[in-house]
Amino acid sequence: MCGFIGFVVRDRESEYTELAASMLGAIRHRGPDGATVVQHGQLVLGHCALSFTDRTSGNQPFVTRSGRTAVVFNGEIYNFRELRAELGASGLALRTGSDTEVLAEVFEREGPAVFTRIRGMYAVVAHDTTTGRTTLARDPLGKKPLYYFQDHGNVVFASELSALLRHPGCPGELDASAVADYLVLGAFPAPGSVLREVHKVEPGSYLEVVDRQWRQTIYWRPTLPSQRDRRSVAAGENGLGTVLRAAIARRVETTDDRLGVMLSGGLDSSVVAALTRELTGTAPVSFSIGFTDAAFDETDAATLVAQHLGSEHHYLRLTGADLADGFHRWYGRVDEPLADPSLLPTALAFELAGAHVRGVQTGDGADEVLLGYRIFQAERVLEMVEALPAPVTRRLPGLLRRLPVRHGNLPASAVARQLGHALGAPAERRFYLSTAPFRPPALRQILATETASDPFRHLDEVVAAHPWTKSLERSQLGMITHFLRDVILTKLDRSSMLSSVEARSPFLDEAVLDYCADLPVRLKLRGFTGKFLLRRLAARMLPPAIAFGVKQGFRAPIGTLLSNELRPLLLDTLAPSRLDRHGLFRPHTVAALTAEHVAGRADHSRALWALLCFQTWHDSVFAPATAGRLAMPVHSWRSPS
C-alpha cells in the first residue's frame, strides 16, 4: 500500500520538490516508510511507501528498463506472477520481484488494455515520455482512491483530496450539487467530489491526458448476465468454495508478513478466517471491535470463532466515551466527508490491528454479491405488499412512518419506518430512500439554495442496461453501484490507511465476483435466507451459531451517542456561526432537527450524523489552524529519460 501524487513541472526544481514533499506530507499515513520524488519528462511523480509485499525491490516511482514509462501505483496485482512469466517468455529480464515492475512493463507494451487483464486492487498512474500521455486508472470496484483536477489543462493528481489541497492550483470552492448528493447517499460518488472541479477517476475506468486533451474510457461496469448457470446446490457450493479458496490464497501468498483477519463475529469474516487456516495450516491473528451496548455488540460471537479456530484474538468493547474520543481523534482526518456510522468503529478496529500487523483480510463484499443484506429479504416482502389493493398500499407508508421512535441496532419499528419511505419507489432506489440522511424532497428544507442534484443518475444508467432483471436484482445492482463502491470501499480504504494497515477483501476478487454474478438468485437468497451457499460452506468449518446466525450488522450506536456523549460537540459544531462559514445549510432547520433528536421526540440520527461529519471535515480543512503542516522528507531524483 502507499500514497502518490503528481503534477506537471512549471517552476524551478527546488520549488517543485518542496511542493511534492508538502503534498506527500498530507498522506504520510498511507506510506510511513519513506518517500521518493522523480521528474519523468515534464511530470513530477511522488510516492510514499507502506512496505508490506516487497520490502526490498518495490520502490516507486518505478521507471521501466527502456526509461520510456514511469508508474506510481497503489494496491496489489494478484496475478502478477502469470504476467511476469509472459514477460520472461518474451525475453525481458526483470530487475525486481515486485508487481509494480510487472505492471509498468506490461503497460509499456499493451497500454490501457492491461486494465482488462490485471486482477487486484489498484489506483495507478503511468506516464509515457514518447507520447507525453499520462494515464490514470482505478480497479473495477474502486478499492483504491484517485483524485485529480486540471491546472491550465495539465493534470494534477493524488491518492487523497488532502494532498491536492496543498497544490496552489487546487480549486477550493465547495460543490453544492455534490453536497446535495451526499445528503442523500451519505458519500460523494465518483466522478464528483466535495470540491467543484476536483474529481475522482471512476471505478472501472481510465483517463488519458495528452497535449492537454482529456479522454475517459470505461472498461468495467457492474453486470448480471441475462442467462445463468443452472447448477445444483451441491455444485454451486463446491464452485463457491473453489473460487473463494483461490482468492484467499492469492492474498495470503503475496506477502511474507503476518496477515490478520478483521473478525466481526458474522458469517463472512469468519469464513475468511476459517479458509485461511485451512490453506495455511495456521489460524490467522484476528481483531474485533464491539460495544458495551449489547444491541450492537458481536464480540462474543467473534471470540467464539477465534476460539474454534485457535486464533490469537484481540478485541475491544467500546463505551460511548470511547466512541466520542474516537470521533474527536479520527473524523477530521477522513479526507472527504463520509456519513456511514460504521466508519468510526472501523477506524478504531484498524487502530487496534495496526499495533500488531501491517495487513488484514476482511469479509467485505459478501452481502452485496450473495444477497445477504436485510434489504434483499425486504424486497420479497415489498413484492407481496405492493400486490395488495391500491387503497391499502396508499395508506401503509403513512402508518409505518408513525411508528414510535426506538434507538438501537435496527429495531423492527425502525426497519418498518424505513420501508415506509421505500414503498412505491423503483427497487434500485429503495435502500437509499429508506436509509438516506435526507430524502430528496427534504433537500429544500435543509439546503440554503436550490441545486441541480440527481443522486441516482449513475444507478439508473446501470439498471437501464439490465432490462431483464427483476426487482431483487435491480436492488442488488443499486447496492453495488453506490453503497459498495462509494461507501463501503471508501470507508475500508480510509479507516485502514489512517492506521497504515493494508486491507484485502477476498469476496471482491474478480473471479469471485464473476462466479457469484453467474449464480441464479435461488442459490443466493433461499426463501428469506441470504448467502445460502456461503452458509452451507460455513457449516463444514464453523459452529452452527455462526453458520446459520442472523446478521446483526456492524453499526455504531449514533442515536444515543448524539444525545449523550457527543451532544456538546453536536451543538457546538452545528451552531449557526459555524454553519455560516460555508452557508450551505439552513441554520434554523439544523437547530430544529437537533432539538427534536436530543429531546427524544424524533430520531434524526442519520441526518445529524451526516451534517456533523461534513462540518467536522469542513472546519478541519478550511479553519486557519490547519495552515503550516509539515512536509514529508523525500528522496528526489530525475529520470534519465
Side-chain angles (χ1 to χ4, degrees):
M1 287 298 104
C2 66
F4 60 74
I5 60 95
F7 52 88
V8 172
V9 177
R10 291 198 296 130
D11 299 309
R12 293 188 301 273
E13 181 171 338
S14 62
E15 293 174 341
Y16 83 66
T17 301
E18 292 172 2
L19 174 57
S22 176
M23 294 174 70
L24 287 170
I27 54 174
R28 185 170 190 162
H29 51 277
R30 301 189 74 91
D33 296 329
T36 303
V37 173
V38 171
Q39 181 180 342
H40 188 252
Q42 290 299 109
L43 188 69
V44 173
L45 297 167
H47 176 267
C48 54
L50 173 62
S51 301
F52 181 64
T53 299
D54 188 340
R55 292 183 182 274
T56 59
S57 61
N59 296 330
Q60 297 185 46
F62 192 92
V63 180
T64 56
R65 181 176 287 277
S66 71
R68 169 184 164 184
T69 305
V71 163
V72 283
F73 160 57
N74 173 20
E76 198 73 40
I77 306 302
Y78 295 119
N79 65 334
F80 82 97
R81 290 189 176 89
E82 297 95 307
L83 298 173
R84 180 184 180 87
E86 291 181 15
L87 291 171
S90 72
L92 180 68
L94 296 177
R95 295 165 287 166
T96 75
S98 73
D99 58 348
T100 305
E101 181 179 18
V102 171
L103 174 61
E105 295 290 356
V106 175
F107 181 88
E108 183 166 284
R109 285 156 179 75
E110 300 182 9
V114 71
F115 302 125
T116 63
R117 301 189 62 207
I118 58 178
R119 298 290 181 264
M121 56 178 177
Y122 54 86
V124 58
V125 176
H127 181 246
D128 185 330
T129 54
T130 302
T131 63
R133 179 177 285 105
T134 303
T135 304
L136 297 79
R138 290 177 76 192
D139 67 67
L141 288 173
K143 299 170 190 173
K144 296 287 104 182
L146 181 48
Y147 290 79
Y148 69 92
F149 67 87
Q150 292 190 37
D151 181 34
H152 298 88
N154 297 312
V155 65
V156 181
F157 57 84
S159 294
E160 292 188 10
L161 181 61
S162 58
L164 289 187
L165 284 165
R166 295 195 177 187
H167 190 283
C170 183
E173 181 184 353
L174 296 171
D175 188 331
S177 179
V179 171
D181 290 351
Y182 161 80
L183 293 178
V184 176
L185 300 173
F188 289 85
S193 84
V194 66
L195 298 179
R196 284 176 56 85
E197 300 179 23
V198 175
H199 308 284
K200 305 183 193 77
V201 175
E202 292 187 61
S205 75
Y206 58 87
L207 183 69
E208 296 175 286
V209 184
V210 59
D211 294 331
R212 303 186 182 184
Q213 299 297 310
W214 296 60
R215 183 179 69 178
Q216 181 193 36
T217 301
I218 296 171
Y219 68 88
W220 190 92
R221 280 291 181 263
T223 187
L224 294 170
S226 58
Q227 300 296 321
R228 309 297 171 81
D229 192 315
R230 296 182 177 274
R231 70 195 73 191
S232 67
V233 170
E237 178 189 335
N238 290 335
L240 179 61
T242 298
V243 295
L244 194 52
R245 285 182 175 88
I248 292 171
R250 282 189 282 273
R251 283 150 182 80
V252 171
E253 293 169 359
T254 51
T255 179
D256 294 328
D257 283 47
R258 186 163 68 159
L259 188 64
V261 171
M262 303 304 287
L263 194 60
S264 69
L267 174 67
D268 313 331
S269 60
S270 299
V271 168
V272 170
L275 289 177
T276 300
R277 186 186 71 165
E278 176 188 304
L279 290 166
T280 64
T282 304
V285 58
S286 56
F287 309 92
S288 66
I289 288 288
F291 308 94
T292 53
D293 186 335
F296 292 81
D297 186 57
E298 289 186 295
T299 50
D300 287 344
T303 301
L304 173 65
V305 174
Q307 291 173 343
H308 179 78
L309 298 177
S311 297
E312 174 191 329
H313 187 56
H314 305 269
Y315 72 94
L316 293 173
R317 278 195 176 98
L318 304 174
T319 65
D322 294 328
L323 289 167
D325 175 68
F327 187 94
H328 285 284
R329 290 191 296 114
W330 290 110
Y331 258 81
R333 302 175 55 202
V334 297
D335 191 52
E336 191 174 36
L338 184 67
D340 183 356
S342 65
L343 172 62
L344 177 55
T346 302
L348 295 172
F350 277 106
E351 183 179 38
L352 172 65
H356 302 273
V357 297
R358 283 202 162 201
V360 298
Q361 294 186 93
T362 80
D364 291 289
D367 284 312
E368 289 83 1
V369 302
L370 288 168
L371 301 180
Y373 284 124
R374 293 181 188 177
I375 189 64
F376 301 129
Q377 300 167 15
E379 276 298 328
R380 294 211 151 147
V381 175
L382 289 175
E383 288 176 353
M384 294 183 287
V385 169
E386 292 181 339
L388 295 173
V392 177
T393 58
R394 281 196 299 268
R395 293 183 58 200
L396 192 56
L399 293 173
L400 292 175
R401 291 196 291 268
R402 286 197 291 271
L403 288 172
V405 174
R406 297 283 189 273
H407 292 309
N409 194 353
L410 280 187
S413 62
V415 174
R417 285 167 58 86
Q418 290 175 2
L419 290 178
H421 294 282
L423 286 172
E428 60 272 17
R429 298 187 181 191
R430 284 173 175 156
F431 169 77
Y432 300 102
L433 293 173
S434 64
T435 60
F438 294 89
R439 295 171 187 89
L443 293 178
R444 291 185 178 182
Q445 283 73 50
I446 188 64
L447 292 173
T449 58
E450 289 191 19
T451 63
S453 172
D454 183 10
F456 303 121
R457 56 192 178 277
H458 299 301
L459 184 155
D460 292 343
E461 291 172 3
V462 170
V463 173
H466 295 76
W468 58 85
T469 53
K470 297 182 179 180
S471 62
L472 185 62
E473 291 193 313
R474 291 203 302 272
S475 177
Q476 181 184 21
L477 286 168
M479 292 286 287
I480 293 171
T481 299
H482 279 321
F483 187 66
L484 176 61
R485 300 203 294 179
D486 296 311
V487 178
I488 296 297
L489 292 178
T490 299
K491 173 189 70 176
L492 183 62
D493 174 81
R494 300 308 192 276
S495 57
S496 61
M497 287 288 94
L498 283 171
S499 292
S500 303
V501 175
E502 178 175 325
R504 302 178 173 186
S505 304
F507 284 103
L508 297 178
D509 185 274
E510 286 87 347
V512 176
L513 289 175
D514 291 343
Y515 183 83
C516 293
D518 198 44
L519 289 173
V521 169
R522 63 180 175 83
L523 296 185
K524 299 182 227 182
L525 182 63
R526 193 81 154 191
F528 289 96
T529 300
K531 295 182 287 196
F532 174 67
L533 289 183
L534 188 63
R535 293 183 187 280
R536 287 176 57 91
L537 185 65
R540 303 175 185 274
M541 304 176 289
L542 295 166
I546 302 300
F548 300 105
V550 177
K551 179 178 177 61
Q552 182 166 317
F554 187 54
R555 303 175 187 87
I558 61 170
T560 54
L561 193 64
L562 292 171
S563 297
N564 296 291
E565 289 87 355
L566 283 181
R567 180 175 177 175
L569 177 69
L570 178 70
L571 296 174
D572 180 56
T573 303
L574 299 185
S577 60
R578 302 278 285 274
L579 299 178
D580 286 343
R581 292 176 181 174
H582 52 70
L584 289 172
F585 309 136
R586 298 181 187 273
H588 67 276
T589 302
V590 176
L593 293 172
T594 304
E596 289 183 355
H597 183 84
V598 299
R601 295 193 300 271
D603 181 4
H604 296 308
S605 55
R606 287 183 179 273
L608 292 173
W609 191 257
L611 295 172
L612 179 63
C613 293
F614 179 89
Q615 193 65 35
T616 300
W617 169 84
H618 179 273
D619 292 349
S620 70
V621 169
F622 293 104
T626 61
R629 290 171 292 186
L630 296 177
M632 187 174 188
V634 301
H635 171 64
S636 180
W637 57 283
R638 186 189 300 271
S639 169
S641 64

